[in-house]
Amino acid sequence: MPRGIRKTINYEEEIMKTQAKITMHTNSISELREHLKQLTSQKEQEDLRALQTAIRNSGRTIEEVISSLT
């Protein structure tokens, strides 16, 4: 019982499709890296604000806190 007729592969078309997929995924990765960079920066800014508030609430100066840490 035959299993069917094998289609001939158009290699040029398959190569182009694969290259297009690679480009699409590469662009997605670049966008995700940029988003990660923005999120990291925003978190860092939020942490710095929280630290500044904690220092201000402690009644100590930044220099006092730095000298106590070193």
Side-chain angles (χ1 to χ4, degrees), residues 11-23:
Y11 290 106
E12 291 300 319
E13 185 177 315
E14 288 298 316
I15 289 170
M16 288 174 52
K17 284 180 184 178
T18 303
Q19 286 175 335
K21 286 180 183 179
I22 290 171
T23 300

Side-chain angles (χ1 to χ4, degrees), residues 35-49:
H35 185 63
L36 178 61
K37 205 185 291 185
Q38 290 173 355
L39 288 173
T40 304
S41 176
Q42 289 172 353
K43 182 184 182 311
E44 185 178 308
Q45 291 298 317
E46 187 176 308
D47 289 346
L48 288 173
R49 277 189 230 109

Side-chain angles (χ1 to χ4, degrees), residues 1 35 66:
M1 183 167 181
H35 185 63
I66 290 172

Side-chain angles (χ1 to χ4, degrees), residues 1-2 6 8-12 16 18-19 21 23-24 26 29 32-33 37 42 51-53 60-61 64 67:
M1 183 167 181
R6 219 178 225 191
T8 58
I9 297 175
N10 182 341
Y11 290 106
E12 291 300 319
M16 288 174 52
T18 303
Q19 286 175 335
K21 286 180 183 179
T23 300
M24 180 185 69
T26 301
I29 290 171
L32 288 170
R33 283 189 176 136
K37 205 185 291 185
Q42 289 172 353
L51 179 62
Q52 187 177 30
T53 301
R60 298 168 67 187
T61 65
E64 291 171 331
S67 68

